[in-house]
Amino acid sequence: MTAKTDGTSSSANQAQPESRRRPVRSHGAAPIYMQVAEILSDEIEIREGENFGLPSESDLSREFGVSRVTIRQALKLLETRGAIYSEQGRGYFTTTSRMTGVSGFHSFTSEVQRLGGIAASTLIDFAADASLPEAFRNHLQVAGTETYIAVRRVRSIDGRPVAFEEAYLPKSMYPNARREMFDNGSLYGLMTQSWGIVPAWADALFEPLAATDEEARHLHIASGSPVLAVWRVTATDTDQVCEYVRSVYCGDGFMLHINRYRL
C-alpha cells in the first residue's frame, strides 16, 4: 500500500482537480452531496484500485464550490460504501480494491495473490510447546490437554498491516516444526507441503472489539480503535482439527467477505 504522510497527500498521490469534468448542479434531482460523492467515486474507479489520499475537506470545498458540510456528507457516504476510509489527523484515503473480498476462511496469501495484491507475514512469536489459552477454549469450545505449536504473526497487504493473528497447531500433527518454517508465506501451503495436511473446512465466530495496546502497535492503529476478531477452527476432510486461530482485523480500509467456504 502506498505510504502516506498526511491527510493532504502530495499532488502525485491525490485525486487531481483537473480530472473533474462533471459540474455540480444546484438544482439537480440528486442532492449536491450525492453528486459530489458520485464524481469522487468515478475518479476512484478510474484509478483502478490505486490507493491514494483525497484532498482535504477545505480543498474539496473550493474545488466544487460547495460548503465543507456538503463535502463532509459526501465523504461519509463514500466511507459508508467502503470506497474510502479516514485516519484521524491525516484525512481520507481510498480503500484498495484488491483488498476487497478476502474471506477470512481461505489461505490469506492465496486470496490476496488471486486478487492482485502482495501478501506478507511477519513472525512475531513462536513456541513449540504451548497450551491452548483459556480464551480459545471458551470461544471455540475446546476440551483436552493437548500440546500446541503457537505462531503469532502480522498479516499485510501491499505493505499495510491488516491482521494480527494467533494460530495454535496440534503439535502431534506437525513433527519437527521449526520457527524458521513459519517466517513468511502461506501457512496452509506449509501444512500441505511439509506435513501433507490439507485444510478442508473452517467454522468461525466473529466478535467486534476494541484494539488492545499490543494489537494497535502491530496494526499501526490507535489503541481502542474498532477491530474485528475472528475465532476460527480449521479441519481436514476427515474432520481432524488442524488449527485454532484468532485473527484481529483492522476496522477501516479493509473488507471481509463473510461466508462458509469449501477450502
Side-chain angles (χ1 to χ4, degrees):
M1 180 169 287
T2 305
K4 302 178 285 292
T5 56
D6 56 37
T8 57
S9 305
S10 64
S11 58
N13 288 330
Q14 287 183 350
Q16 298 301 309
E18 57 268 22
S19 67
R20 300 193 176 92
R21 296 291 181 259
R22 287 158 46 195
V24 174
R25 300 177 180 176
S26 58
H27 300 293
I32 294 176
Y33 80 92
M34 291 186 66
Q35 296 180 51
V36 172
E38 291 305 320
I39 294 172
L40 290 173
S41 179
D42 288 346
E43 291 176 13
I44 291 170
E45 290 183 10
I46 289 172
R47 301 284 284 268
E48 296 182 342
E50 179 185 350
N51 177 250
F52 58 92
L54 273 66
S56 67
E57 290 182 4
S58 58
D59 286 344
L60 289 172
S61 176
R62 285 192 296 270
E63 291 172 21
F64 284 102
V66 299
S67 70
R68 289 185 63 175
V69 172
T70 299
I71 293 297
R72 196 169 297 122
Q73 286 179 299
L75 294 174
K76 288 299 181 184
L77 177 59
L78 292 176
E79 189 173 24
T80 300
R81 294 177 182 174
I84 63 174
Y85 66 96
S86 62
E87 292 189 5
Q88 187 173 4
R90 301 178 70 188
Y92 286 88
F93 300 90
T94 57
T95 302
T96 309
S97 62
R98 63 184 57 157
M99 293 165 61
T100 304
V102 174
S103 68
F105 288 83
H106 287 283
S107 163
F108 177 90
T109 301
S110 298
E111 282 206 298
V112 172
Q113 291 175 345
R114 175 176 58 82
L115 293 168
I118 300 174
S121 298
T122 301
L123 183 62
I124 303 300
D125 193 22
F126 173 87
D129 296 284
S131 299
L132 194 65
E134 193 66 27
F136 277 75
R137 295 184 181 278
N138 293 337
H139 279 78
L140 301 177
Q141 300 180 349
V142 183
T145 57
E146 188 167 0
T147 301
Y148 295 85
I149 296 167
V151 180
R152 301 169 80 228
R153 303 183 296 171
V154 175
R155 316 305 301 274
S156 302
I157 297 177
D158 295 342
R160 183 193 179 206
V162 297
F164 176 65
E165 184 176 277
E166 299 175 88
Y168 287 83
L169 317 176
K171 186 172 182 177
S172 59
M173 297 178 66
Y174 302 91
N176 304 314
R178 304 181 306 277
R179 180 187 179 98
E180 59 268 23
M181 301 172 73
F182 298 87
D183 276 342
N184 208 337
S186 168
L187 180 56
Y188 285 2
L190 179 64
M191 287 179 178
T192 303
Q193 294 166 15
S194 298
W195 295 285
I197 297 171
V198 181
W201 294 102
D203 286 304
L205 176 68
F206 295 81
E207 182 180 23
L209 295 171
T212 64
D213 290 343
E214 181 185 25
E215 292 161 355
R217 184 173 70 255
H218 289 306
L219 295 176
H220 301 174
I221 58 178
S223 181
S225 295
V227 293
L228 182 66
V230 180
W231 303 80
R232 189 176 73 243
V233 179
T234 308
T236 66
D237 256 338
T238 59
D239 286 334
Q240 185 176 19
V241 174
C242 55
E243 69 167 352
Y244 296 102
V245 181
R246 179 179 184 265
S247 299
V248 178
Y249 292 94
C250 290
D252 63 0
F254 183 82
M255 291 189 218
L256 277 175
H257 179 68
I258 303 171
N259 209 327
R260 176 170 174 142
Y261 286 93
R262 169 74 177 186
L263 299 177

